[in-house]
Amino acid sequence: MSMLLAVHDAYGQILAQVGNPTPEAPPASDKLLKLVRYFTWFVLLSGILGITYAGGRFAWEKWTGGGLESPKMVAGAMIGGIIATSAGTIMNAVIT
């Protein structure tokens, strides 16, 4: 029993010497966050452009009576937008 108390005291003295570390940002993290923000804007703009293009193509195919392949493009752009938006939300939660 006294051996257990001696080990407990030794661990207590060692752990008492460990300070409370304060977190600090890693070097160049501000540049990385800026790059992530630019990438987020690029993804959002490309999604908007993709949906706009697919909608215009859908209207053109409907007007000319051609085969309807653009609904797949619209669905693909919307699914891609959902995935990109979810990834941005997850990354923001991880970063902050």
Side-chain angles (χ1 to χ4, degrees):
M1 184 72 168
S2 64
M3 178 75 160
L4 184 62
L5 289 175
V7 170
H8 184 268
D9 285 339
Y11 281 132
Q13 290 175 0
I14 291 172
L15 291 176
Q17 294 176 4
V18 176
N20 190 8
T22 56
E24 67 179 61
S29 64
D30 54 337
K31 293 178 183 177
L32 181 64
L33 287 174
K34 189 174 186 178
L35 181 66
V36 168
R37 288 185 193 112
Y38 281 137
F39 183 70
T40 301
W41 276 107
F42 174 73
V43 167
L44 290 173
L45 289 176
S46 63
I48 291 169
L49 288 174
I51 290 174
T52 304
Y53 173 76
R57 187 165 174 186
F58 181 67
W60 179 259
E61 289 174 356
K62 192 79 167 163
W63 186 53
T64 60
L68 294 178
E69 293 192 21
S70 56
K72 295 176 191 173
M73 292 174 62
V74 172
M78 293 176 84
I79 291 171
I82 290 169
I83 291 171
T85 304
S86 299
T89 303
I90 292 170
M91 288 304 294
N92 282 334
V94 169
I95 290 172
T96 56

